[in-house]
Every structure is written in C-alpha cells, then in structure tokens.
Amino acid sequence: MNKTLIIIKREFFSRTRKKTFLLTTILLPLLLFGFYAAMIYFSVKGESSKKIAILDEPNLFEGKIEGSSNVTFTFVSGKNPDAYKTDFSKEGYDAYLHIPANLDLKNPSNIVVYGKDQVGIATQERMESRVNKAIERKQMQAVLGTGISVDELNKIKSDVDIRSVSLKDGQEKEGNAKAASAAAFIMGLLVYFVLMIYGSMVMRGVMEEKTNRIAEVMVSSVKPFQLMMGKIIGIGAVGLVQFLIWLVLLGVLQLLLPVIFPGALEQMASNAPAGMAAGKASGFSLTNIGGLNILAMAGYFIVYFLGGYFLYSSLFAAVGSSVNEDPQDAQQLMLPIMMPIIFSFVILTKVIQDPHSGLALFGSMFPLTSPIVMMGRLPFDVPMWQILLSLALLVGGFLGTTWLAGKIYRTGILMYGKKVTWKEMMKWVFR
C-alpha cells in the first residue's frame, strides 16, 4: 500500500507542477468565458440596425408591420416601383420591400426585397415574419367580419404555464422540466468529456513509461498491479482537482457576466426564438435551476465521475501497456473501449426526453453506460433503490475491469516488439 501511495504522489505532483497543468487549468475557463462573453456581445451589439422602406401599392399593411430595435420599417408612397430600385438608397434606406398592387392575400407572391447588398437571412426572416402576420390579420378579419376585431379575438387566446408537481412519498415537490433537462445534459456531457480526456491521459502515461523503459525499473520494486493502480488514482486525483478548480473559476466568472454586460442577458432572451422565450417565461435562466437539489446532484456527479473514471481508465491503462511506439496500434485497441462511451451519450439524449423509460433504466444500471446515462436521470427524481443498485453494479464493474486490466497490464508492460490483438490479450487474462 505504501508503494502504491508513493506512486500516487509521484503521478499527482509530477503533473500538477507542470506549467501545462497550470496553463490549461487557468486558461480553459478563461477561454470558455471569453467565448461566452463574445457570444453575448455579438448577439447584443454585433447586429447593425437596418432601415427598410416599404412600398405598399395595395395599401393593405400601413401601420400593421411592426419594427424592432434592429429593423425599422418606413412606408413610402407615390413612388414608381421600378425607379425606386435605384432611389431608395439615396434616401438612406438599406433595402426596399415592394408589395405589388395585384397581391392576392389567399396566395401571396411576388413580394420582393431589393437591397444595396444581399439582405442577411436574419433581416429577411424578420420581414417575412412581420408580413406573414400582417396577411394573417387581414385574412382573419375578413373571416370574422365586422362583428369582432382581431385584437378582441387575440384577447381570448390563452398562454398557460403548467406547473409540474411530482408526488413522492405523499409529498408534493415542484419541478422544472426545462431546468432539469439542461442540468442533465450538462452533467452527462461533462462526464463524457472527463472519461475521454483523462482515460486517454492514463493510456498515454503508461505508453510513455513503457517506451522510455521506466516501467522496467519500476516493476523491479513494485508489482505491476500496484504500478497501474497508482497511476490511475494519481491521474484521477489530478483530474478531480482540475475539475473542481474549473467549477470554482467558471462560477466566479459567471457572476461577473451581469457586471460586465448589464442587461445583456435579458436582451438576449428577448431576441431569442419563441421556444427560448417560452423557457424564460416559465422561469428558466442560466442562473435559475430552482427545484433541483444541487448539492445532492453534485455529490452523485462526483461519485459517478470517479466510478466511471476508474472503470474506464483501467481499460485504457491495459491498452497503453499492450502497445509499443506505434499510435495506430493504440487507436485500434481503443475503439472497443470508446464505443460504450459514445453509445452512452447517444442514450443520454433519449433519456433526457423520457427519463423513466426501459432504455433509461437499462442504461443507468449497466456499468459501462451508467456513469453518463444516470446523469440524465438524476434531476428527474430517480428512486433511491435504483441509484444504490446502479452504484453497486458500477463498483462491481470497476472491480471486474480492474482485475481484467491488471492481468493484461502485468504481461503487456514488459512485452516489446510485438503487435498485440484483443484475442491475445484475452489469453493473458485467462491463462
């Protein structure tokens, strides 16, 4: 145990003292924050205001096509449609929308926008949306007649927000499906990247020591299994520390966003598509995930993160011990390990939509998929017995893969000059 602890310390401190660790630990949150801040800036400030002239020959829409902060519509009259193609820019307009005199409201066509340059898709969609609404109002009013106006009809329309309440153990608990889905996807995505990044890091570390012949010296003092476990736990500790630092830094930077861009988030939400606007109206925002037990989910996240990491990193270590200097050999042997991780992410996207389906239950119990799939179920009140059973199976899976990987590692770490296949690795396990 003491020798394993020495290896853990060596792996942990040799990696955390590197400049690359400090740079990636600090720079990554800053890059993410910069990317996020740039998205906010260009969403709010990046789009220039457009002035559109509307020549409405049938005089159907004047006063009924509303502008916005980014687009201003001005109705012009008494213009020759063809001559105005060259004159609108002289009057300071960016584009000219021509509504022909023979427009058929039941089959509207031949509405053309002329611009100094090609009109952007966002501006064109805004114009189409407003013209469509104006045509719909005209047609609706024609159907209603003079007895009732469109505005009076719109007042009848209802926009209901349905509260979601779960009944568990006789107690009512209010939830937010949008917030739960967002939290589930983010946690599952994080575990997915963690397994990929740190699993590959373990494999590269084993390959590096093997090719440098350092492993030969070390196995003369410790058992190969102790060497493998020391490396896995040491790199896992590095990943956990790095991950916690990222969470703290991103949390602090998130708090700075409203200070740097006051009112920007609200403006982004107001410019967002209807679905996102509905999410805002229902109470969801980047800082509001009310109804979720954040501390419990953070605890489960760390447990599944560690379980998934130890399960897969032992397999990555086995692959690293079996290959020589050729990286193509490593890629071929990695494929069977990476497939369950990728498959887990595919299941996760389905589980978020139906967290209590049979597929969700299977994915959250199977040890190779549970670290990612269970993240998609946790925000939706998973029964405690399912969580405990999932964790028990995950621990069992970890012990099984560690036993298997230890057998492969013991032989592979001292084997040179031979291309190894999975068939031969299985022979090492069961001989």
Side-chain angles (χ1 to χ4, degrees), residues 243-255:
F243 196 71
L244 292 174
I245 293 173
W246 283 344
L247 285 181
V248 172
L249 286 176
L250 286 174
V252 172
L253 293 173
Q254 176 74 30
L255 294 176

Side-chain angles (χ1 to χ4, degrees), residues 56 59-65 75:
D56 179 17
N59 196 24
L60 293 173
F61 306 111
E62 185 160 5
K64 298 181 175 61
I65 298 180
F75 283 84

Side-chain angles (χ1 to χ4, degrees), residues 191-211:
V191 175
Y192 173 81
F193 280 118
V194 164
L195 295 183
M196 286 288 193
I197 293 172
Y198 292 106
S200 301
M201 190 182 294
V202 170
M203 188 190 70
R204 287 197 302 271
V206 173
M207 288 176 61
E208 184 180 345
E209 289 188 348
K210 181 178 179 180
T211 53

Side-chain angles (χ1 to χ4, degrees), residues 278-334:
K280 178 177 179 290
S282 64
F284 173 72
S285 70
L286 292 173
T287 57
N288 176 18
I289 48 177
L292 301 179
N293 190 337
I294 303 300
L295 290 178
M297 287 201 302
Y300 287 130
F301 174 83
I302 293 175
V303 171
Y304 275 97
F305 155 70
L306 291 175
Y309 167 76
F310 285 125
L311 188 148
Y312 277 102
S313 60
S314 58
L315 296 175
F316 278 108
V319 169
S321 69
S322 305
V323 298
N324 295 302
E325 297 178 357
D326 190 354
Q328 290 186 351
D329 293 344
Q331 290 176 358
Q332 291 176 359
L333 294 175
M334 278 174 61

Side-chain angles (χ1 to χ4, degrees), residues 7 16 25 45 51 92 94 106 123 159 206 217 240 265 272 276 287 299 311 344 361 371 373 390 403 428 431:
I7 296 171
T16 53
T25 303
K45 306 288 185 183
K51 294 175 64 178
D94 297 294
K106 295 181 179 178
T123 303
D159 185 15
V206 173
V217 179
L240 188 60
L265 294 177
M276 294 180 66
T287 57
L311 188 148
S344 303
L361 180 62
V373 176
S390 172
W403 172 80
W428 297 349
R431 68 182 178 184

